[in-house]
Amino acid sequence: AHQWRGVVAEYADRLPEHVRERVVTLGEGGTPLVAAPVLSERTGADVYVKVEGMNPTGSFKDRGMTTAISAAAGRGAKAVVCASTGNTSASAAAYATRAGMTCAVLVPDGKIAMGKLSQAIAHGARLLQVDGNFDDCLVAARKLAEVYPVELVNSVNPDRIEGQKTAAFEVVDALGDAPDIHALPVGNAGNITAYWKGYREYAGRLPEAPGGTLPAVATRTPAMWGFQAAGAAPIVLGHPVDQPETIATAIRIGNPASWAQAEAARDDSGGVIEAVSDDEILAAHRVLSAEVGVFVEPASAAGVAGLLRRAAQGHVPAGARVVVTVTGHGLKDPSGPCAPPTAARSCRSGWAPTSCPSRPRSASS
Ligand code: F0G
């Protein structure tokens, strides 16, 4: 019987040699691409969700962390650092533990989901809760990595992008070719950068990439549709946002590190980057949980929110094949939109039980 071996082993011929010297893996990748008839019916398209919450620490970050930590281990690194809205810190903490490294994480104080914080602590990370937002944390993490012998494992580390591009490979492997449209949430913009790289490589459009001269697997590339939360939509607005705000804490980011790469992905692919409101995110979250059967964290619903809105505006061609990445597991943030009344009342993220569109009104009294 075949057991999935993690993205480095599965896609070894398309990854740089230096990530393969000392592979640190928790079996990440190989996540389900689930047909979503409910979304297909609503959009008139053929919609699939790529369920990245099925990764070992519950988010897509594990794909890039296996490569970043493997590369760091290969270079003999003893410690890593990252800034995070939660998922990167959970993933870095787990993979660093696996590699026998020290891990320091900088997170915005009080603004990350409890599940993610628990993971970082359980995996033994040194936790630095910063009085500021993610962007402040990233500035500080970059400085730490300059001054101390620690490696930065945010997505500005190119090894992260190499690992994350494997999600695009998996989509093509599952569907037989690239979809017409790929939708996903955008925060620090590493993931849209990685998908676009993966799709181009698999279509033989980046011959200089590792494995770029292998036979093309896809005949085409999709239009990349990225969605930011309206209160944290710097790429849409065209300028950084000083005080980003959204219930989707994972993408509460005002100055994305991979801004230029995200714009390139949008423009080269004939795609869009748009903003979705918190209400649209919550409505999409409800569709995913209560109709599709997939429980995600709030930020992960942004791609579905964007797809539904663009479909309503007539921008989704009939029968188009659409893949939407849902980036993180719902259990990361269970105090959020669907918590039972008592938990919701004490929820620090401020969702009142009655304001939650994911639960019927009658159940909230
Ligand atoms: N969805 C989730 C669940 C995330 O955790 C993130 C980013 C994104 C989407 C956006 O991806 O940054 O590559 O554009 N989380 C980072 C973190 C910032 O620290 O965990 P992106």
Side-chain angles (χ1 to χ4, degrees):
H2 175 67
Q3 159 139 329
W4 182 265
R5 298 163 294 165
V7 300
V8 175
E10 296 291 339
Y11 293 106
D13 56 354
R14 291 186 182 267
L15 292 169
E17 221 176 288
H18 71 269
V19 309
R20 291 187 255 133
E21 273 159 38
R22 207 205 129 189
V23 179
V24 180
T25 182
L26 293 169
E28 61 295 316
T31 58
L33 184 70
V34 179
V38 169
L39 295 177
S40 298
E41 200 179 308
R42 286 202 185 205
T43 58
D46 181 22
V47 183
Y48 298 79
V49 287
K50 181 71 170 155
V51 186
E52 288 291 278
M54 292 300 283
N55 277 295
T57 77
S59 85
F60 71 96
K61 305 289 181 179
D62 295 341
R63 294 179 182 277
M65 212 51 77
T66 184
T67 44
I69 300 286
S70 295
R75 288 187 287 262
K78 298 279 180 282
V80 295
V81 64
C82 68
S84 183
T85 55
N87 283 321
T88 299
S89 60
S91 186
Y95 283 80
T97 288
R98 188 65 184 210
M101 291 179 197
T102 301
C103 176
V105 304
L106 286 78
V107 300
D109 191 13
K111 291 291 188 178
I112 85 168
M114 195 56 74
K116 304 172 188 179
L117 198 60
S118 308
Q119 288 178 287
I121 292 167
H123 292 304
R126 308 277 172 89
L127 187 68
L128 295 154
Q129 306 204 69
V130 175
D131 182 16
N133 57 39
F134 169 85
D135 307 287
D136 303 317
C137 293
L138 185 55
V139 170
R142 283 186 196 255
K143 280 190 190 145
L144 281 174
E146 269 170 34
V147 177
Y148 294 99
V150 294
E151 294 216 14
L152 186 66
V153 294
N154 281 105
S155 57
V156 293
N157 177 336
D159 297 324
R160 279 278 311 277
I161 303 299
E162 288 300 311
Q164 284 178 213
K165 76 184 182 186
T166 61
F169 297 166
E170 288 179 19
V171 169
V172 174
D173 289 343
L175 296 178
D177 206 339
D180 298 302
I181 295 163
H182 191 115
L184 77 173
V186 172
N188 208 29
N191 212 26
I192 191 171
T193 301
Y195 269 98
W196 182 233
K197 186 166 197 282
Y199 278 125
R200 281 178 298 159
E201 287 185 16
Y202 241 27
R205 286 182 47 192
L206 288 180
E208 72 279 12
T213 54
L214 293 169
V217 181
T219 67
R220 59 205 174 121
T221 55
M224 299 301 302
W225 288 11
F227 297 97
Q228 300 195 291
I235 299 174
V236 179
L237 296 170
H239 60 77
V241 174
D242 282 347
Q243 308 281 347
E245 265 322 329
T246 169
I247 50 131
T249 54
I251 53 172
R252 186 173 167 273
I253 294 174
N255 192 11
S258 298
W259 189 319
Q261 293 91 324
E263 288 184 335
R266 175 194 65 194
D267 298 341
D268 297 351
S269 74
V272 295
I273 296 180
E274 294 184 351
V276 287
S277 70
D278 281 0
D279 283 346
E280 287 175 305
I281 290 172
L282 288 169
H285 188 277
R286 176 197 172 130
V287 172
L288 279 165
S289 346
E291 295 182 55
V292 179
V294 175
F295 188 37
V296 302
E297 63 165 290
S300 300
V304 172
L307 174 67
L308 290 174
R309 192 186 51 222
R310 285 186 61 78
Q313 293 168 334
H315 294 311
V316 178
R321 193 169 256 193
V322 182
V323 171
V324 191
T325 300
V326 289
T327 44
H329 203 288
L331 295 176
K332 291 268 191 178
D333 199 1
S335 65
C338 304
T342 44
R345 228 173 267 129
S346 61
C347 167
R348 292 177 76 187
S349 58
W351 273 306
T354 48
S355 72
C356 173
S358 293
R359 300 182 330 112
R361 295 260 162 199
S362 56
S364 64
S365 57

